[in-house]
């Protein structure tokens, strides 16, 4: 949202915590780590994609944004970033 100031360090910390918690939760059903965590409200959507094991890609979107498109592009970008970090 335009009227909300964003604190990059706080978003990074919350994103890392979100992926950690999501990995613990999906670990109840298997051994693979979470590759994305999605949170929705009536005003916004937040997507946190895992970038390898060392980073996260966070997308803040309006509640009406195209969820499928965000997930598809988010996965593609996170895979590309993970490859770049390995180089």
């Amino acid at each position: 949202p335009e009227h909300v100031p964003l604190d990059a360090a706080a978003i990074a910390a919350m994103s890392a915590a979100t992926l950690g918690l999501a990995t613990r939760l999906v670990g109840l059903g298997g051994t693979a780590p979470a590759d994305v965590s999605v949170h929705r409200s009536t005003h916004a959507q937040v997507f946190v994609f895992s970038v390898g094991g060392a980073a996260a890609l966070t997308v803040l979107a309006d509640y009406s944004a195209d969820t499928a498109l965000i997930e598809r592009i988010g996965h593609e970008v996170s895979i590309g970033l993970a490859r770049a970090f390995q180089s």
Side-chain angles (χ1 to χ4, degrees), residues 9-83:
I11 292 171
M14 289 185 286
S15 296
T18 294
L19 277 178
L21 179 58
T23 293
R24 294 282 306 267
L25 288 168
V26 297
L28 298 172
T31 58
D35 59 340
V36 65
S37 180
V38 181
H39 305 276
R40 293 186 179 95
S41 75
T42 57
H43 298 286
Q45 303 180 74
V46 179
F47 299 79
V48 182
F49 298 90
S50 176
V51 177
L57 169 66
T58 303
V59 177
L60 307 173
D62 186 72
Y63 70 95
S64 62
D66 185 341
T67 301
L69 182 62
I70 292 170
E71 288 200 34
R72 186 170 62 250
I73 293 173
H75 282 294
E76 291 174 7
V77 170
S78 65
I79 289 168
L81 288 170
R83 287 184 186 140

